[in-house]
Amino acid sequence: CAIQSVHPSLTVPYWDYTIDSYETRKKYGGLDGKMFQDSELWGPKWWGNTSTDKHHITDGRWAYQRITSYNSSDEHAFHSPYGYARAPWNLNPSPFVTRFHKLC
């Protein structure tokens, strides 16, 4: 708990993904991308659901959250080819926070 040595009131949330993994294996017979649809963590109370076609968050506190545009006054600022404050190699054209649910 090194962060609490800085300030005792600080905490780092912990998600035990093994619970979702177990439930997904039990429900679908193996790991499946549907765990991202069924899990409470990806619902409106936490991180929000995403649209299946555009992959932006559609409900909850992060719904339609826009990405900051590139600040041209900061010569060291990174940005995507679309001018968003994302990695230079990020080719995502969406102005919204996005999340892709795909297992390889």
Side-chain angles (χ1 to χ4, degrees):
C1 296
I3 195 166
Q4 290 182 330
S5 67
V6 175
H7 198 284
S9 69
L10 295 176
T11 63
V12 177
Y14 176 74
W15 171 41
D16 185 357
Y17 68 90
T18 61
I19 295 169
D20 286 306
S21 176
Y22 171 78
E23 292 296 328
T24 300
R25 287 176 193 272
K26 189 168 73 172
K27 186 172 183 177
Y28 300 108
L31 285 178
D32 192 299
K34 291 182 179 157
M35 72 183 282
F36 297 109
Q37 297 166 356
D38 294 346
S39 174
E40 182 181 345
L41 187 65
W42 306 114
K45 288 184 178 179
W46 289 93
W47 300 110
N49 292 300
T50 57
S51 67
T52 56
D53 58 337
K54 297 186 180 178
H55 307 287
H56 57 262
I57 301 168
T58 57
D59 59 13
R61 69 182 80 181
W62 306 108
Y64 304 100
Q65 176 70 41
R66 290 190 163 272
I67 296 291
T68 304
S69 294
Y70 166 64
N71 181 354
S72 60
S73 65
D74 182 357
E75 64 184 65
H76 301 293
F78 289 102
H79 63 90
S80 73
Y82 294 97
Y84 300 120
R86 289 183 168 130
W89 53 85
N90 189 321
L91 301 178
N92 183 352
S94 175
F96 302 109
V97 173
T98 56
R99 185 173 61 242
F100 291 82
H101 299 304
K102 185 174 182 180
L103 296 174
C104 298

